[in-house]
Amino acid sequence: MTPPPSGPVCAGASQYATHPSLAARPTSATYPSFTSYVRARGPVLLRTARSLTANPCDAEDLLQTALAKTYVAWERIEDHRALDGYVRRALLNTRTSQWRKRKVDEFACDELPEPAGLPEPDPAERQVLHDAMWRAVMKLPDRQRAMVVLRYYEDLSEAQTAEVLGVSVGTVKSAVSRALGKLREDPELSPVR
């Protein structure tokens, strides 16, 4: 038995209807609205597929697979105004299935590919750096110091910092930028650079 010919789902499917394995399946002649949908929305859907994969050929294959799934479910889709969403979901699900199935090969080798790694810094040096940084932060004006502490020591976002201090996000951004500039200029921190 010969395999069914492969080709685009939306165009020319009726020519394969005589093949024994495809005789019971619907053809594009059965769903003329599917053919017109693909002709009208194909370029937009292809752009969506290209955003999901880097290779244009893979994007075309991805779209064809999603359209095949849509074609099979054409009778079950009640609201044809939501077809783009259905096809996008099929694109996303198909792409997710592809990368989940991707096999990662492992090869044994004589040498480890990982670099030896950097040695851990001396705890005393880390403490000296920490102290120098804190002294530099303490030299900042109160408002800038508060923003730097909230942003980098307390790990708050700019919006959260603005909310805590009752200022705008733009004020936080500009004040933190000025504070970081002063910290870069601090002579006590210059050996660290």
Side-chain angles (χ1 to χ4, degrees):
M1 181 167 152
T2 59
S6 61
V9 172
C10 59
S14 59
Q15 68 185 349
Y16 303 126
T18 57
H19 193 279
S21 66
L22 298 175
R25 295 184 184 175
T27 64
S28 62
T30 308
Y31 302 131
S33 58
F34 178 78
T35 304
S36 61
Y37 169 74
V38 172
R39 283 189 184 129
R41 300 298 296 163
V44 173
L45 297 171
L46 183 58
R47 279 196 303 271
T48 303
R50 284 187 179 157
S51 70
L52 295 173
T53 181
N55 186 337
C57 295
D58 289 343
E60 291 174 5
D61 291 343
L62 179 64
L63 178 59
Q64 186 171 2
T65 303
L67 288 173
K69 291 178 180 181
T70 305
Y71 183 76
V72 169
W74 193 255
E75 288 180 335
R76 295 188 315 261
I77 301 173
E78 294 176 9
D79 185 7
H80 281 228
R81 292 174 297 179
L83 284 171
D84 282 357
Y86 185 93
V87 175
R88 282 190 196 104
R89 175 51 62 184
L91 284 167
L92 186 60
N93 290 346
T94 303
R95 183 65 182 140
T96 302
S97 295
Q98 288 173 346
W99 66 257
R100 281 184 180 157
K101 291 177 185 175
R102 186 180 61 213
K103 182 181 176 190
V104 178
D105 294 326
E106 293 183 21
F107 301 100
C109 58
D110 294 334
E111 295 179 28
L112 293 176
E114 294 87 16
L118 299 173
E120 282 292 317
D122 182 21
E125 289 179 14
R126 287 180 56 199
Q127 188 61 44
V128 168
L129 175 61
H130 180 271
D131 292 343
M133 180 58 83
W134 189 247
R135 281 192 301 275
V137 169
M138 294 305 289
K139 292 178 194 173
L140 294 172
D142 292 341
R143 186 173 173 173
Q144 288 180 0
R145 182 178 347 126
M147 291 182 190
V148 167
V149 167
L150 290 172
R151 282 285 291 129
Y152 298 105
Y153 284 88
E154 296 296 324
D155 201 27
L156 296 181
S157 69
E158 290 169 342
Q160 291 169 327
T161 302
E163 185 178 332
V164 167
L165 296 176
V167 296
S168 71
V169 174
T171 302
V172 172
K173 288 180 180 181
S174 62
V176 168
S177 175
R178 284 192 302 274
L180 293 177
K182 288 180 183 179
L183 292 174
R184 285 186 199 101
E185 304 285 324
D186 193 300
E188 194 174 350
L189 296 177
S190 60
V192 175
R193 289 182 232 130

